[in-house]
């Protein structure tokens, strides 16, 4: 009986930890996506150069310009 209770608790703890990690990753991805969309908007509006925007998200200028073209 002790073994099965320990196993059940281990599974429960693993599921909870997985959910927490999933939420944290989702938040991080949302922040990154929001930052990228903001920078794309600033470049489109002429308020920020593509070079500076690319630098802020650690992208090459070419990669940033590809994203900019996709968003238009």
């Amino acid at each position: 009986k002790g073994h099965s209770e320990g196993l059940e608790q281990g599974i429960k703890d693993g599921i909870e930890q997985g959910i927490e990690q999933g939420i944290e990753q989702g938040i991080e991805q949302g922040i990154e996506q929001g930052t990228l969309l903001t920078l794309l908007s600033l470049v489109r509006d002429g308020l920020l150069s593509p070079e500076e925007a690319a630098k802020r998200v650690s992208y090459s200028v070419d990669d940033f310009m590809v994203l900019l073209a996709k968003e238009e």
Side-chain angles (χ1 to χ4, degrees):
K1 188 173 183 176
H3 176 71
S4 65
E5 288 174 1
L7 183 59
E8 286 177 23
Q9 185 62 43
I11 291 171
K12 181 180 174 187
D13 291 346
I15 290 170
E16 288 176 6
Q17 185 178 6
I19 290 170
E20 288 174 15
Q21 288 176 351
I23 291 170
E24 288 174 17
Q25 288 175 355
I27 290 170
E28 287 175 24
Q29 290 174 356
I31 290 169
E32 289 173 13
Q33 185 71 14
T35 299
L36 184 57
L37 291 174
T38 299
L39 291 172
L40 289 166
S41 177
L42 290 170
V43 170
R44 261 195 305 285
D45 293 345
L47 300 172
L48 189 65
S49 73
E51 294 80 11
E52 182 60 34
K55 187 187 332 177
R56 291 178 185 221
V57 286
S58 302
Y59 282 30
S60 71
V61 175
D62 289 341
D63 288 344
F64 189 84
M65 294 306 290
V66 167
L67 289 174
L68 186 61
K70 286 182 182 179
E71 289 292 319
E72 290 182 357

